[in-house]
Amino acid sequence: MTTGDDRLRIVLHDGAEALGEAQQATAAFLRGRGAGPRTAARAELLLEELALNALRHGFAAGGTPEVVVTAWHDGARCGLDLEDRGAPFDPTTAALPPAPGSIRDAPIGVPLLRRIAAELAYERTADGRNRLHLVLPAEDAAIG
Amino acid sequence: MELLVVDGADASKRLVLAGRLDAAGTETVEVAFAAQARAARGHALVDMTAVSFVGSLGIRMLISAARAADRAGIRFVIFGAQPAVAEVFRTTAVDELIAILPDEAAARAQLRA
């Protein structure tokens, strides 16, 4: 984990404990730079969803799951950048599951991301990395 | 993450969660939580007053338990969510799938209705 004035960089491998520590460090970093509690909570929620998805589903068996998370705050806006070398996955265009008509069909991941993020940009880099840039909404912005 | 189970005189169970329901917290309690929710004979009331964070795995745990309860004819309600947790429930539309009430009195009133 490395911290600059406006950035916190964390390298994650599979492990729920480490992810929990990363979530809390991200929230503390954002709060320390002026983000409100809702913004910090949204960052934690999206970090868990995105990192778990990449670490547990993005890598072939025998591979070494790794996600690099950068939390950032530029004084006006804040968000998360995630990079990994897993299978290509673009959450900005992935098909949404059907709307939940019952408990059985409740979707969470991609709809959650799209509902919360104020801006979302995905790139598959030439050297084979997923790169997601996510801007969090303003503290008082209604979600959903 | 901690789970405390209080058996009610009316065969209901109050499942009290405390701590962070993040990935690690969920993995700590999910097996016991599911078993206890299934073991409720009438109602399962989930007390989230002391839960400061709910992540995606925690949401899935709650939905899975509610689904199992529904199949078994057990009424499953959640109460006491803190504002940040309540926002997660709204954002993920969990509140459209599971009855979520502000406090225990409201939850019990819902179950009596």
Side-chain angles (χ1 to χ4, degrees):
Chain A
M1 188 181 308
T2 55
T3 310
D5 283 346
D6 60 354
R7 286 178 181 269
L8 170 68
R9 184 176 182 273
I10 304 169
V11 179
L12 283 170
H13 302 96
D14 203 5
E17 291 286 349
L19 176 56
E21 291 169 6
Q23 288 172 271
Q24 294 188 71
T26 296
F29 167 80
L30 293 174
R31 294 294 303 273
R33 278 144 186 85
R38 296 172 82 190
T39 300
R42 290 164 179 165
E44 282 200 70
L45 179 64
L46 292 183
L47 174 54
E48 180 178 303
E49 178 64 27
L50 291 166
L52 277 179
N53 186 59
L55 291 168
R56 297 189 174 177
H57 306 295
F59 291 82
T64 305
E66 181 180 285
V67 175
V68 179
V69 180
T70 304
W72 54 269
H73 198 305
D74 65 8
R77 303 196 306 171
C78 61
L80 302 171
D81 293 344
L82 289 93
E83 285 193 9
D84 68 74
R85 292 184 177 277
F89 178 70
D90 179 359
T92 68
T93 60
L96 291 173
S102 72
I103 285 173
R104 267 185 292 283
D105 306 315
I108 297 178
V110 172
L112 178 69
L113 178 61
R114 293 193 198 164
R115 289 177 88 166
I116 294 179
E119 294 178 24
L120 200 55
Y122 170 82
E123 175 191 7
R124 182 69 179 182
T125 65
D127 63 347
R129 286 173 293 153
N130 293 306
R131 179 183 289 163
L132 188 68
H133 176 71
L134 183 164
V135 179
L136 291 161
E139 174 73 7
D140 56 357
I143 299 297
Chain B
M1 190 74 214
E2 294 180 6
L3 169 65
L4 172 68
V5 181
V6 181
D7 289 313
D10 56 355
S12 68
K13 279 185 184 286
R14 187 157 65 96
L15 308 178
V16 185
L17 292 165
R20 288 173 53 84
L21 202 53
D22 57 10
T26 301
E27 289 180 354
T28 300
V29 299
E30 63 184 342
V31 173
F33 183 83
Q36 291 292 341
R38 282 196 306 271
R41 281 182 289 166
H43 314 311
L45 295 97
V46 182
D47 181 348
M48 299 198 66
T49 309
V51 175
S52 57
F53 174 81
V54 173
S56 53
L57 283 190
I59 293 165
R60 289 183 172 94
M61 179 190 85
L62 294 169
I63 291 174
S64 175
R67 179 194 311 168
D70 186 48
R71 286 182 187 141
I74 298 163
R75 297 184 71 185
F76 184 98
V77 300
I78 291 172
F79 69 88
Q82 297 178 18
V85 172
E87 183 185 81
V88 172
F89 289 156
R90 285 193 299 274
T91 304
T92 54
V94 169
D95 60 351
E96 297 173 15
L97 304 171
I98 302 172
I100 297 176
L101 285 306
D103 53 38
E104 182 169 1
R108 291 195 178 277
Q110 167 97 354
L111 292 172
R112 285 194 300 270

